[in-house]
Amino acid sequence: MATTQHYLWAGGHFLLLVSALRYLVAYVSLKSVSSWWYRASFLGALVSYAIVCHKSLGSPQPNSAYIRKAMTDENVQYLLLAFFWWSSKPVPVALVPYFIFSLFHALTFARTTLMPRFLPPGPPATAGGPPQPHPLAKRLQLWVKTNYDKAMRVVAYAELLIFMRVLFGALLFKNSFVAPLVYAHFIRQRYFQSAFTRDAIATADARIGELVHRSGNPVVADVWGKARDLVGRWATFPAPAGGRD
């Protein structure tokens, strides 16, 4: 039986989906759109992630053990990042990972909680056996299972794109200089916690290295090599604990 908290969690994801879709469609089509939709999206994220974090970690405790555990929890990281985006100047592409996560959560909630209330169950798989889920629910479950890994790869690449956006945005004064610092730390955490992020970074590194090599410019190659070594040392020392892959 779904609890009130579970419905609030799902409500946050549905609010994010509707608001982000409204904002992104208007943004992509070059139409004027209120930043209210952007902030409503991250408000939905804050509600959903706060509930998940409270469920997994319990009430906040003023001690170092709780803080260390919380800081290595990926849901806490996304919660803090959502608060940062909610309180900052809009960066539309920042909505993409949250939209994808919420889409899969909302579909699963619809399949497991809403559909059984409104759709009749299917016939038993065997004589005398329990009724099966409605065929629509079974198709939805298959779609989620089939596309989940693909979606997480999209999220990983989108997060790298977001970092590039806020990095160049800071240089062009389109967002604060704090944004790339915050997001660099977030990507660092994701690198140790997500195989999808590691694969995306490895692919991006190989592609950039190939382009640098093709340029035939030793200065560019030298700058890229030094930058790569610097980032590598920063990213791996000290390696954070608590990955969940």
Side-chain angles (χ1 to χ4, degrees), residues 24 31 33 35 44 86 95 109 124 137 164 167 169 177-178 185 196:
L24 289 172
K31 295 180 179 179
V33 59
S35 62
W86 176 80
L95 288 168
F109 177 81
M164 297 305 298
L167 177 62
F177 284 94
V178 174
H185 178 72
F196 297 108

Side-chain angles (χ1 to χ4, degrees), residues 73-238:
D73 186 287
E74 61 183 5
N75 289 312
V76 172
Q77 293 160 15
Y78 277 104
L79 173 66
L80 295 176
L81 186 63
F83 179 78
F84 178 79
W85 293 133
W86 176 80
S87 60
S88 304
K89 184 177 179 180
V91 177
V93 70
L95 288 168
V96 173
Y98 287 91
F99 182 88
I100 293 174
F101 290 140
S102 287
L103 175 62
F104 279 81
H105 286 309
L107 290 177
T108 300
F109 177 81
R111 177 181 64 82
T112 60
T113 305
L114 299 181
M115 286 185 177
R117 287 177 171 269
F118 301 105
L119 297 178
T126 58
Q132 296 295 298
H134 189 276
L136 180 59
K138 295 178 71 172
R139 287 197 295 270
L140 184 57
Q141 182 180 24
L142 178 61
W143 187 91
V144 168
K145 183 177 180 180
T146 301
N147 291 282
Y148 180 80
D149 283 358
K150 297 176 184 176
M152 294 305 102
R153 292 189 187 96
V154 173
V155 166
Y157 283 105
E159 289 176 341
L160 296 185
L161 179 62
I162 293 167
F163 174 70
M164 297 305 298
R165 162 61 182 82
V166 296
L167 177 62
F168 286 106
L171 297 175
L172 297 173
F173 303 102
K174 291 188 175 182
N175 54 254
S176 71
F177 284 94
V178 174
L181 298 177
V182 169
Y183 212 75
H185 178 72
F186 172 77
I187 291 293
R188 180 176 183 266
Q189 293 292 111
R190 298 305 301 143
Y191 180 84
F192 289 103
Q193 294 176 322
S194 170
F196 297 108
T197 299
R198 291 193 291 273
D199 289 345
I201 290 176
T203 300
D205 178 48
R207 184 62 58 87
I208 294 173
E210 181 182 352
L211 293 174
V212 168
H213 178 73
R214 285 183 180 179
S215 72
N217 189 323
V219 175
V220 173
D222 184 59
V223 170
W224 167 244
K226 291 180 178 179
R228 187 176 182 276
D229 290 342
L230 180 63
V231 171
R233 287 196 297 271
W234 169 78
T236 58
F237 181 79

